[in-house]
Amino acid sequence: MRKRRVRFISAIIILMIMVLLTRLMQLQLFYTENYSKHHVNLLNESVKQRTQEVLIDDGRGHFLDNEGYPLSYDEKTILVLFPFLKSINWDREQVANILNTTKEKLELSLSNAKKPLIYGEISPIQAKQITKMNIPGLYAIQKKYPPESNIANQLIGLIGENREEFWKRYPEKKGLDTKLGISGLQNSFDEFLIEEHPSKLIFHVDGIGAPLFGIDVKYSGQSNPYYPLMVKTTISNPFQKGIEALVDKYEIKKGGALLLDIETGNILASVSRPILNRENPFLDDGAVNMMFEQHIPGSVFKTVVTAAAVEEGLIENNEEFNCSLNIRGEPAERDLGMLALNESFSRSCNKTFGELAVRVQQEENSFLEKYAEKLGIIGYTGWEGDIFHIKNFRQFAHEAGRIFTSDESRKDQNYIMQTGIGQHEVRVSPLSVANMMATIARGGEKKEIRVATDIQYANGGALFHFPEQNVKGDHISTSTAIKLQSLLRSVVTDEEGTGHIFQKLPFKVAGKSGTAETGVERDGVQLHNKWFAGYFPFEQPKYALVVVNLEVPNDQGGINPLFADIVTMIYEENHKQQQGRPEE
């Protein structure tokens, strides 16, 4: 009986030892980089426990402006002091002199340090002098930081930590604990930008923080000179900064501005408000790019109605419309009298375009949508194509826009009239409206919009170039485009036109205004979306510009002064650049 008990207890002990050995083998041999359902990298975690480190660069790729200068980061020269400096001899007096401080202040800042201390930014000359002293634990390094200017925040987007999403996107990288793009271009280009080899200064310590292998600080980082990759965007730094400043000058709380290069289809500037709060990015739509979101456009949409009516021959020469009435046949707020198409367009008569929209839809109930697509105001408008193994890569996420949501709306006369003035179910983005203006300015030719021209290696070499691409499919005729150009110009030249204040600008402007009822109330006041979209110079179109102020009272938030100031800023910036060019 006693022998059986001994055997039983021995078997239990052996089983427990086997379980412990199996567990130990899991930890040490089999699942060191992917342990448990949480996919913990045990090697990384163990290293963290016995090292002090300074992150120089997380290894993630970045974005550049159209001149190749950093857009998504600033690089600064900083001084790093490791805690073991407290216990070794070094020339504190000379270092203090180089830093323009006192030995006492330098020692005070170091006295309570338990981890590597970033003393602060220093000049290149100071960095060179300190490096020459060759003091262990004292390092002048180049470190990347988020940019202080914070321009084009919503366009560039955000990165964040989300293990499950990261491993879902990149199952072959399970076990890595890294950030990924969650919005904007950071999300679109994430596969090219994800960090692989962060650059660090590493110092090994024991359990109480004392040096483990002496005072040797090691560098760990990217050994491949081609990485990380960089995305060269189409953003013009001067234009972006100038428009950001003007949008804030006019206190745009929700809305912004978007500038396109007409010839190339490049986005030169994209400004969105509310301002992004990096501490709480999803507060109050701060992370949302309003230039890519759909909004009610109001009278800007009359451009589409006009294109359809003109091209389909649904309006007679010298035909006039009763612009003293609104679309319901009641007296209008503005008694404009009988107006032909030109004056109806320049003065934004609702009655004219409500009637024309009905004619267009009666001809074929898909015509308004077809012409909206021909003008590039709905549908995906961005660059799309194959990049290596990635099929149908899109440079940015963008909603398609819409005109109607049901067959009932396409056939109901009241709904159609509201649609004709850009109300009811019409939703388009400022980006697509800018695209429409650029399409008209080109004579009907449609181009895919680019926000990036190249993916580059870290040394500046080209990995992939995004070529200019025309949009396949139907487009408006050249004659219709010329007619629309004339009408858009009349908005400015007509003394009673909604854009007449632009007559004295340094560039000749063509465009269309819009004021849309949103159905939203604040403190009992109805709110409106206010737009102006246009292009310039009129004779040789170069820029398409859209400005929008969303959800403001009808008697506030006028957008025309902002549009005018942006045009003037662009003119002055071009003049500066021309003056700065060397003589040929």
Side-chain angles (χ1 to χ4, degrees):
M1 185 74 177
R2 186 176 179 181
K3 288 182 179 180
R4 288 175 61 188
R5 188 179 296 118
V6 169
R7 289 193 190 105
F8 178 75
I9 293 173
S10 298
I12 293 294
I13 292 172
I14 291 170
L15 181 62
M16 291 175 66
I17 290 173
M18 290 179 66
V19 170
L20 289 172
L21 284 172
T22 302
R23 190 68 161 170
L24 188 61
M25 289 172 69
Q26 283 182 322
L27 293 172
Q28 296 290 332
L29 299 175
F30 303 127
Y31 300 108
T32 55
E33 296 184 13
N34 192 7
Y35 178 69
S36 84
K37 65 179 181 179
H38 300 292
H39 308 287
V40 177
N41 190 319
L42 296 173
L43 293 177
N44 288 346
E45 294 303 316
S46 67
V47 169
K48 287 179 183 177
Q49 289 181 356
R50 54 187 172 83
T51 60
Q52 294 177 349
E53 59 184 44
V54 176
L55 182 66
I56 301 172
D57 184 354
D58 63 9
R60 185 175 177 84
H62 285 282
F63 295 92
L64 310 173
D65 67 15
N66 62 358
E67 296 291 332
Y69 295 107
L71 193 61
S72 59
Y73 71 94
D74 288 334
E75 196 164 49
K76 300 178 181 178
T77 303
I78 61 167
L79 182 65
V80 179
L81 297 87
F82 279 79
F84 66 78
L85 283 166
K86 290 181 285 186
S87 58
I88 66 171
N89 292 322
W90 51 288
D91 195 339
R92 293 164 168 79
E93 193 74 47
Q94 186 178 349
V95 172
N97 289 336
I98 292 172
L99 297 176
N100 298 317
T101 186
T102 64
K103 184 177 83 168
E104 290 73 24
K105 285 183 179 179
L106 185 61
E107 289 178 334
L108 181 63
S109 62
L110 186 60
S111 61
N112 297 321
K114 295 180 179 179
K115 294 182 179 180
L117 170 70
I118 296 179
Y119 182 80
E121 187 176 1
I122 59 176
S123 71
I125 294 175
Q126 290 172 320
K128 188 175 181 180
Q129 291 172 330
I130 287 173
T131 302
K132 197 173 181 180
M133 293 178 70
N134 196 27
I135 300 172
L138 193 66
Y139 300 96
I141 61 173
Q142 293 283 107
K143 180 174 170 59
K144 289 186 172 70
Y145 288 90
E148 292 181 357
S149 58
N150 279 328
I151 65 171
N153 276 330
Q154 294 87 349
L155 178 69
I156 293 171
L158 299 167
I159 56 174
E161 294 180 357
N162 187 330
R163 284 185 178 181
E164 296 301 323
E165 178 61 25
F166 181 82
W167 294 330
K168 180 180 175 183
R169 286 190 203 177
Y170 312 110
E172 74 282 2
K173 297 182 184 294
K174 274 196 174 180
L176 285 179
D177 187 9
T178 186
K179 294 180 180 180
L180 77 165
I182 56 178
S183 70
L185 302 184
Q186 292 281 14
N187 184 30
S188 300
F189 288 86
D190 191 55
E191 187 161 352
F192 302 100
L193 302 174
I194 52 174
E195 59 199 66
E196 298 262 4
H197 302 287
S199 299
K200 303 174 182 178
L201 290 178
I202 299 175
F203 177 59
H204 293 272
V205 295
D206 61 19
I208 60 173
L212 190 60
F213 305 122
I215 57 174
D216 185 24
V217 176
K218 298 183 181 298
Y219 169 81
S220 171
Q222 176 64 257
S223 59
N224 190 331
Y226 294 103
Y227 291 88
L229 298 175
M230 300 286 172
V231 177
K232 186 177 182 181
T233 71
T234 60
I235 295 299
S236 163
N237 219 305
F239 290 164
Q240 181 72 33
K241 287 181 177 178
I243 295 175
E244 297 251 6
L246 290 170
V247 165
D248 291 337
K249 172 187 173 183
Y250 284 95
E251 300 181 342
I252 306 298
K253 304 301 183 186
K254 186 175 182 180
L258 188 134
L259 181 69
L260 280 185
D261 182 295
I262 290 173
E263 182 181 356
T264 61
N266 291 346
I267 296 177
L268 297 176
S270 174
V271 178
S272 178
R273 293 294 180 266
I275 291 174
L276 176 67
N277 179 348
R278 290 197 173 274
E279 298 299 319
N280 193 352
F282 297 102
L283 177 70
D284 298 329
D285 291 330
V288 177
N289 189 345
M290 293 296 170
M291 298 301 96
F292 287 16
E293 293 291 303
Q294 298 176 24
H295 312 289
I296 308 171
S299 295
V300 170
F301 188 72
K302 293 172 182 176
T303 311
V304 176
V305 178
T306 305
V310 169
E311 187 137 319
E312 296 299 325
L314 299 177
I315 184 168
E316 298 178 9
N317 293 334
N318 301 320
E319 182 177 0
E320 292 187 338
F321 301 84
N322 188 352
C323 291
S324 294
L325 303 177
N326 60 27
I327 59 173
R328 294 183 296 273
E330 301 166 348
E333 291 183 11
R334 295 180 299 157
D335 186 2
L336 299 175
M338 299 297 293
L339 296 179
L341 177 63
N342 284 19
E343 289 77 18
S344 292
F345 192 89
S346 64
R347 301 172 196 181
S348 206
C349 166
N350 286 343
K351 180 68 171 173
T352 302
F353 298 96
E355 286 187 19
L356 289 177
V358 170
R359 290 184 199 177
V360 168
Q361 287 299 101
Q362 286 176 341
E363 190 75 11
E364 185 177 313
N365 67 9
S366 64
F367 265 175
L368 284 180
E369 288 159 307
K370 282 184 178 180
Y371 278 89
E373 192 167 351
K374 285 183 177 184
L375 287 167
I377 202 172
I378 63 171
Y380 181 72
T381 56
W383 194 98
E384 184 174 11
D386 297 341
I387 304 180
F388 308 121
H389 64 282
I390 305 173
K391 299 295 182 183
N392 301 317
F393 173 80
R394 290 185 169 188
Q395 286 198 356
F396 49 81
H398 174 234
E399 296 294 333
R402 71 175 198 232
I403 309 304
F404 297 105
T405 61
S406 67
D407 284 336
E408 179 188 2
S409 295
R410 291 182 183 91
K411 297 173 183 177
D412 185 287
Q413 183 167 311
N414 290 326
Y415 290 157
I416 295 170
M417 294 185 80
Q418 291 176 47
T419 300
I421 61 172
Q423 294 283 164
H424 192 46
E425 296 166 342
V426 183
R427 300 290 186 276
V428 296
S429 69
L431 174 69
S432 62
V433 172
N435 186 49
M436 176 177 71
M437 290 295 160
T439 299
I440 293 168
R442 293 190 208 103
E445 179 188 9
K446 292 194 294 182
K447 280 186 174 290
E448 291 184 359
I449 295 174
R450 293 187 303 181
V451 72
T453 55
D454 300 276
I455 299 175
Q456 297 181 345
Y457 292 113
N459 63 4
L463 173 65
F464 185 85
H465 175 70
F466 297 97
E468 292 180 31
Q469 296 183 159
N470 289 343
V471 177
K472 298 177 182 178
D474 293 338
H475 54 84
I476 60 171
S477 67
T478 303
S479 60
T480 298
I482 291 171
K483 177 63 176 176
L484 291 175
Q485 291 169 6
S486 174
L487 291 171
L488 291 168
R489 178 61 181 156
S490 73
V491 170
V492 176
T493 56
D494 184 348
E495 289 298 331
E496 296 182 46
T498 55
H500 70 275
I501 73 163
F502 304 134
Q503 290 178 7
K504 295 182 180 180
L505 291 180
F507 286 129
K508 290 183 178 179
V509 171
K512 185 74 188 76
S513 61
T515 301
E517 297 177 1
T518 64
V520 177
E521 279 191 17
R522 186 182 300 138
D523 300 327
V525 177
Q526 292 284 343
L527 302 182
H528 296 72
N529 293 342
K530 299 196 173 185
W531 300 68
F532 197 90
Y535 67 90
F536 52 93
F538 179 67
E539 294 89 349
Q540 295 179 310
K542 174 64 177 172
Y543 305 103
L545 173 64
V546 174
V547 294
V548 59
N549 200 1
L550 301 170
E551 297 178 8
V552 292
N554 194 34
D555 60 347
Q556 299 175 27
I559 210 74
N560 287 7
L562 171 59
F563 188 98
D565 279 1
I566 293 175
V567 172
T568 301
M569 180 274 294
I570 291 171
Y571 176 84
E572 291 173 351
E573 189 62 41
N574 283 341
H575 188 62
K576 281 184 201 172
Q577 292 175 6
Q578 289 169 359
Q579 284 186 324
R581 288 176 188 162
E583 292 184 11
E584 298 180 0

